[in-house]
Amino acid sequence: KKNKKENRKRKEMNTTIYDEEKFDVESYIKTLPTDALDYLYSSPFTCQTIFRSLPSLGQQYVMRFLFVTDTQIKPEYLLAWVKSDFVQAHHLSIQKLLDLKIFIEQMVPNPNSDREIKVYAMNKTFKTNLALAITQPRSMDAVLNLPPDKHHPSLQVLNEYSTQRWEAVLSEILRPTSQTSASFALLPSAFPPDFATALQRLFVIMKILSNDGREITQTGYQYLMDNIYTQALKLIFCYIDTAPERGINRNELLTFVFQLGFHELGKGCAVETLSEQQRYFLMDLCFLGFVYQRKPNSRRFYPTKLIVNLSTSRNTTNDTGFLLLETNFKLYGFTSSRLQLNRMGFFCDIEYQLPNLIVSSITRESCLRAFKKGITSEKIVNFLQVNAHPQTVSRRPIIPDAISEQILIWEKEINRVSFEAANCYEEFATVEDFDTVVAFAK
């Protein structure tokens, strides 16, 4: 009965989880039912991934009790370790540990009185496997005696492959619109028809595309402006959520993704070690750019930085930045990518394009267009920062204050009045009744 209630709650949350402003591993994992968490926590790789996603105080609490047996943790003991300035961070950390079911709240008899007291107990499955991950670290490196790979890909090849494939994924969002609108460059599909159709369905589920798949929604524009880490997380978790519809165990795929996150870049893994469902999943991971496989029948596969970075729960520095912004609101994009041209066009006026250079301007009108699409000033500034050219990354601030503040001012022009839901009470019988309600509201 408890699992049915949790599954129903998760089904309701699925309608909004992928359009959350802040989306990470933790925000997804805490929506899973208890039986799914028990399965995931049986893997040391998953436990390490969850541990990395915790705030610093949460990590401290877990480590202090990790190797202590049969411990009941009193809340006041934990609070006594924290300085008064960090009490709020303490309560936030405890709540996250409870949401992830790493700490389990229990009521036990109080030896000094008849009343019960609240204590925390650590999830035994999580505790055992995290301790195993620390004391006996493992990787997913191949254990089979395969001959040396004559076509071993370099790190540069892996990085270029993941970047190209991910651009192709994002282009699938723009492709239906590019066929009916002159504002987007025509983007042909880079995927087989059946996989392209599956991608379109995922985008509809994530509310990136409208129900008919022909228009980009406000959530879709925001998704296109997200950093690559958030984009990859949302898509891969939505893919995994729909796995049961294809007769695939969702928990097995989640464990596999977290396991790949601890692989060393540039080292191959043996396909023979995978289950049948994981091999099916592997083909789609190759399409998405998470995994490199030279040929479909290759005996090895190589995880790329796109999936390895997922387990770090943070966005890595972009080493392929292409944007150069001047204080006169001129924006130069050193790229020939049609996808990047379209993304710049969300909030810029494109002036002209050369083979490897896009010249544009950030104007009031272009920003207002972006705001109407649901793109916030914060998204625009973050996009400029994440994709800044390597020569400007060392500059502080990366984006001149005059530009970021002006974009914010333009956004406030359309948000001068804010609306909030309210209840109207009228036709009071007496003045005393009215005064009583007002006093209660105050």
Side-chain angles (χ1 to χ4, degrees), residues 118-221:
K118 180 175 69 175
V119 297
Y120 300 132
M122 190 177 296
N123 186 306
K124 292 183 179 180
T125 306
F126 179 88
K127 182 178 181 179
T128 300
N129 286 283
L130 182 61
L132 182 65
I134 294 175
T135 56
Q136 302 178 25
R138 296 182 299 164
S139 68
M140 213 195 139
D141 298 344
V143 294
L144 301 181
N145 294 322
L146 296 176
D149 190 355
K150 298 179 180 179
H151 306 280
H152 189 285
S154 64
L155 292 180
Q156 182 180 356
V157 169
L158 292 177
N159 291 341
E160 290 177 353
Y161 173 81
S162 64
T163 300
Q164 292 172 0
R165 299 309 296 177
W166 192 249
E167 284 202 3
V169 170
L170 297 184
S171 297
E172 286 297 311
I173 301 175
L174 297 172
R175 189 168 60 86
T177 309
S178 66
Q179 297 172 358
T180 58
S181 173
S183 59
F184 297 139
L186 184 61
L187 298 164
S189 178
F191 301 107
D194 55 343
F195 187 77
T197 302
L199 264 184
Q200 295 290 327
R201 182 173 179 274
L202 288 181
F203 294 145
V204 172
I205 293 174
M206 297 167 66
K207 297 184 179 180
I208 291 174
L209 294 177
S210 58
N211 292 334
D212 59 5
R214 296 181 180 180
E215 295 182 3
I216 303 175
T217 64
Q218 289 192 355
T219 301
Y221 284 111

Side-chain angles (χ1 to χ4, degrees), residues 87-136:
V87 172
Q88 185 176 358
H90 160 77
H91 291 302
L92 179 63
S93 299
I94 293 297
Q95 188 57 50
K96 289 188 175 183
L97 291 170
L98 292 172
D99 290 340
L100 294 168
K101 297 179 177 59
I102 296 175
F103 276 8
I104 302 173
E105 191 175 290
Q106 298 177 344
M107 302 300 294
V108 298
N110 187 350
N112 300 324
S113 67
D114 296 334
R115 300 179 61 182
E116 293 183 331
I117 59 174
K118 180 175 69 175
V119 297
Y120 300 132
M122 190 177 296
N123 186 306
K124 292 183 179 180
T125 306
F126 179 88
K127 182 178 181 179
T128 300
N129 286 283
L130 182 61
L132 182 65
I134 294 175
T135 56
Q136 302 178 25

Side-chain angles (χ1 to χ4, degrees), residues 231-423:
Q231 290 173 339
L233 267 185
K234 289 181 178 181
L235 183 61
I236 197 66
F237 284 153
C238 183
Y239 176 99
I240 291 173
D241 272 345
T242 60
E245 300 175 6
R246 302 184 294 275
I248 302 176
N249 188 323
R250 179 186 64 189
N251 297 331
E252 183 178 350
L253 298 190
L254 272 174
T255 304
F256 183 49
V257 167
F258 293 142
Q259 190 174 0
L260 288 174
F262 287 88
H263 182 76
E264 183 179 348
L265 278 176
K267 285 192 175 181
C269 300
V271 176
E272 286 82 352
T273 62
L274 305 182
S275 67
E276 183 178 352
Q277 292 189 351
Q278 289 174 342
R279 293 186 189 188
Y280 177 84
F281 186 35
L282 183 67
M283 292 188 295
D284 289 346
L285 289 179
C286 289
F287 282 131
L288 296 172
F290 291 99
V291 168
Y292 172 83
Q293 198 173 17
R294 196 174 70 88
K295 294 186 298 184
N297 59 349
S298 296
R299 301 178 64 186
R300 293 182 180 85
F301 66 92
Y302 297 84
T304 67
K305 65 176 182 180
L306 197 57
I307 198 166
V308 170
N309 289 340
L310 294 186
S311 66
T312 62
S313 291
R314 62 178 63 90
N315 187 37
T316 56
T317 302
N318 188 0
D319 55 357
T320 58
F322 63 97
L323 294 178
L324 182 62
L325 180 62
E326 294 182 341
T327 54
N328 60 358
F329 291 86
K330 283 282 189 180
L331 181 64
Y332 301 92
F334 295 90
T335 178
S336 57
S337 167
R338 282 189 279 184
L339 171 68
Q340 301 301 354
L341 168 65
N342 289 325
R343 295 175 78 188
M344 291 174 62
F346 292 160
F347 62 94
C348 294
D349 288 331
I350 306 297
E351 297 181 357
Y352 51 89
Q353 181 182 9
L354 300 176
N356 61 345
L357 175 65
I358 302 170
V359 180
S360 62
S361 297
I362 301 177
T363 64
R364 175 178 176 274
E365 290 72 21
S366 65
C367 286
L368 290 178
R369 286 201 310 267
F371 301 148
K372 290 179 180 179
K373 294 174 180 176
I375 301 173
T376 63
S377 59
E378 182 181 359
K379 288 278 187 183
I380 294 175
V381 173
N382 184 67
F383 178 82
L384 294 173
Q385 290 177 337
V386 171
N387 296 283
H389 195 280
Q391 293 184 4
T392 64
V393 170
S394 58
R395 184 176 64 190
R396 291 293 181 271
I398 298 176
I399 308 302
D401 290 336
I403 294 180
S404 57
E405 290 175 3
Q406 183 61 65
I407 295 175
L408 179 60
I409 291 173
W410 286 333
E411 183 181 33
K412 288 183 177 180
E413 289 184 12
I414 61 174
N415 296 324
R416 291 177 180 174
V417 179
S418 60
F419 297 89
E420 295 182 3
N423 294 319

